[in-house]
Amino acid sequence: MTSIDVQDLTKEFGGRRAVDRLTFSVRPGRVTGFLGPNGAGKSTTMRLVLGLDRPTAGSATIGGRPYPELREPLRHVGALLDAQAAHGSRTARDHLRVLAASNRIPDRRADEVLEETGLSSVARRRVRTYSLGMRQRLGIAAALLGDPEVIMLDEPSNGLDPEGIVWIRTLLRRLAGEGRTVLVSSHLMNETASFADHLVVLGRGRLLADTPMRDFIHARVQPRVRIRTTDPVALTSALARHGHDAEEHADGHWTVDGARVDDIGRIASAAGLPVLELAAEEGTLEQAYFDLTDSETEFTAQSQEA
Amino acid sequence: MELTPVLRSEWLKIRTLRSLPGALLALFAATVAFSAIAGVSDASDPGFDPLFASLSGVIPGQIAAVSFGAVAVSSEFHQGALRLSLAAVPRRGRWFAAKAAVIAVPAFLVGLVTALAALLAARAGLGPAAVGLSTGEQVRGVVGCGLYLMLMALFAAGIAALLRSGVATLSLLVPFILVVSFVIGDATGTVADFLPDKAGQLVLRETYDGTLGPWSGLAVTALWTAAALLAGAWRLRRRDA
């Protein structure tokens, strides 16, 4: 199977480390979200994987081989780095035909990916007339051109309209479902949460996390239970008897930290409480991410003071 | 990776960027027009060279050849275009060789047709002043002109890859060709004879004096071009895309 393997990858730009001894793997059959603030080294890592930048140290391979050694690489790896890369004076179709020709991909594929990305009707228009969202779709079309097993997209939802965002989510899920290796960078948490199975998180060029998304959230954000009742006094005393602390909120609902909905439901039922609402509140990726980066910022702030 | 698909892709790039076929059309039109004007000018000067007069449209016309070479390369240095190109063809040396080939061939062919048309247009105006030209001289002038324009286009391509910018390349080469060479122009027997454009233009003359002849002059231009292409390739291979 084709994985992306990054080993001790380091890249310095004039003494500044953009990527710092990074080691991780991106496995097939799932969508890996590549997270981190701007300047964390996500795009640099992608360029290093594609052999566009030379690493200062370490290596990046695709299916065990360095990218520049791939024969007809577009048939193995499709990447979207910069939606502005297409020349404004070319038509979208010509732009794709140029790329296809270099890797002996038939022109038919250009029409197929234009269809797939919803650009068929504007395929013969010059790229300069395209909106940002349309360029983004063209960039994705270029990545899909060679029907590759590995797909790397840098901020693909940039400039997409709400419909486009739903489209890309479905597309990413489908590509992973077909067994492909999918790496998608983003700084939008809710967006990433909607399509990623696995996360690789960077901060200042270093690896902060490489875990399944569920585990990442559960390890950092305590789940809680949301409950609403007509009798708050009876509720709090019933909860207190079972060792739970309830917190009241402005609109009259209560939350119980670190509890499971199964337990709270039983307690309420045993106490004969009329329950108007009972729900498990899962932690969000955003909460988990900020928990991670906050501790990271604290750490770096302290080490700078020291 | 084989070279043929890369050549096809690069050739498609040239064809699908309107300004590039446009530059070749401008090369033809400007050269022929200026040569036709030279054909009806005064031919009584004792130093008059009918072959050079006929092909003199190349002096302004070569700007279009230089633009062709510069823009063909510099369009890759726009936004992330180079990254996309090198992701498709990671062998940078091979990629640049294909790029040079698809600049060289059309520049040479259009140069050849242009020189022939310019010669015919100018001779129609020169009339008796051009009868002294031998067939050999005219063939040498036309073929040499095609080669010269090809070398200038490639020279510009090499410089554009070195400077990674079309604007920088053209603002270096256009004043160089129009001003520097023109100012030190007729001072033959100096180092100016070995400038890339001056040396190569000897092939356009019926008579010549000095150290360089028509073919050795073209060889000097070829050396300049080779140096520019190697410098461009070196920068391309060394740098992060």
Side-chain angles (χ1 to χ4, degrees), chain A residues 4-305:
Chain A
I4 306 172
D5 292 293
V6 168
Q7 265 295 327
D8 277 325
L9 196 63
T10 300
K11 176 68 179 177
E12 289 179 359
F13 293 111
R16 192 183 63 84
R17 281 206 168 177
V19 171
D20 195 357
R21 282 167 302 157
L22 211 53
T23 300
F24 66 89
S25 288
V26 186
R27 303 265 170 236
R30 64 192 190 193
V31 180
T32 301
F34 200 19
L35 293 178
N38 292 330
K42 305 188 296 288
S43 301
T44 306
T45 304
M46 286 190 170
R47 289 202 305 274
L48 289 165
V49 170
L50 293 172
L52 295 170
D53 287 8
R54 308 279 152 90
T56 307
S59 69
T61 54
I62 289 171
R65 295 163 69 192
Y67 184 89
E69 284 178 17
L70 297 174
R71 236 179 90 87
E72 299 176 339
L74 298 187
R75 292 171 179 270
H76 304 284
V77 183
L80 162 70
L81 294 184
D82 182 354
Q84 306 299 327
H87 200 290
S89 305
R90 270 196 198 97
T91 67
R93 189 167 180 274
D94 283 342
H95 171 70
L96 295 175
R97 281 173 67 219
V98 162
L99 289 172
S102 65
N103 280 243
R104 294 192 309 165
I105 297 163
D107 279 0
R108 166 179 56 79
R109 278 295 297 163
D111 296 315
E112 285 171 12
V113 293
L114 284 165
E115 178 76 45
E116 198 173 343
T117 49
L119 293 173
S120 285
S121 59
V122 289
R124 283 162 205 275
R125 267 171 54 184
R126 290 182 195 281
V127 175
R128 102 159 44 88
T129 66
Y130 276 31
S131 66
L132 177 58
M134 287 158 85
R135 284 173 199 244
Q136 205 69 260
R137 282 171 184 264
L138 179 59
I140 293 164
L144 299 177
L145 193 61
D147 195 18
E149 311 100 82
V150 177
I151 291 144
M152 274 199 306
L153 306 176
D154 197 3
E155 306 275 354
S157 351
N158 244 352
L160 288 181
D161 54 17
E163 209 175 289
I165 288 179
V166 174
W167 167 75
I168 189 129
R169 188 183 303 162
T170 320
L171 174 75
L172 294 172
R173 298 297 328 155
R174 199 198 77 208
L175 293 169
E178 290 166 355
R180 299 179 212 255
T181 306
V182 186
L183 179 66
V184 184
S185 85
S186 182
H187 52 236
L188 301 176
M189 295 305 139
N190 293 338
E191 193 38 44
T192 305
S194 72
F195 55 65
D197 305 296
H198 196 88
L199 293 177
V200 170
V201 187
L202 297 193
R204 295 164 182 261
R206 284 182 302 125
L207 186 71
L208 300 186
D210 176 6
T211 50
M213 185 169 72
R214 286 281 126 230
D215 296 0
F216 179 75
I217 296 172
H218 288 159
R220 306 208 150 256
V221 185
Q222 273 205 333
R224 57 185 195 175
V225 172
R226 174 191 172 98
I227 185 165
R228 210 149 57 81
T229 173
T230 49
D231 191 351
V233 181
L235 173 73
T236 42
S237 62
L239 288 173
R241 277 200 302 280
H242 290 84
H244 291 293
D245 271 334
E247 188 187 340
E248 188 177 12
H249 294 264
D251 69 342
H253 80 265
W254 294 72
T255 52
V256 190
D257 280 347
R260 296 189 320 139
V261 76
D262 310 39
D263 300 332
I264 304 300
R266 288 208 179 85
I267 294 168
S269 166
L273 282 168
V275 172
L276 304 178
E277 183 187 346
L278 178 67
E281 277 195 351
E282 289 276 309
T284 63
L285 177 57
E286 195 163 59
Q287 290 169 318
Y289 174 80
F290 282 122
D291 178 72
L292 172 73
T293 48
D294 282 353
S295 53
E296 193 58 26
T297 322
E298 248 167 62
F299 168 74
T300 47
Q302 276 169 4
S303 60
Q304 271 169 1
E305 279 164 28

Side-chain angles (χ1 to χ4, degrees), chain B residues 171-187:
Chain B
S171 41
L172 180 75
L173 291 186
V174 172
F176 177 77
I177 288 165
L178 288 183
V179 184
V180 180
S181 272
F182 191 73
V183 170
I184 43 178
D186 290 326

Side-chain angles (χ1 to χ4, degrees), chain B residues 52-64:
Chain B
F52 187 69
S54 302
L55 296 172
S56 61
V58 165
I59 305 302
Q62 64 182 329
I63 301 292

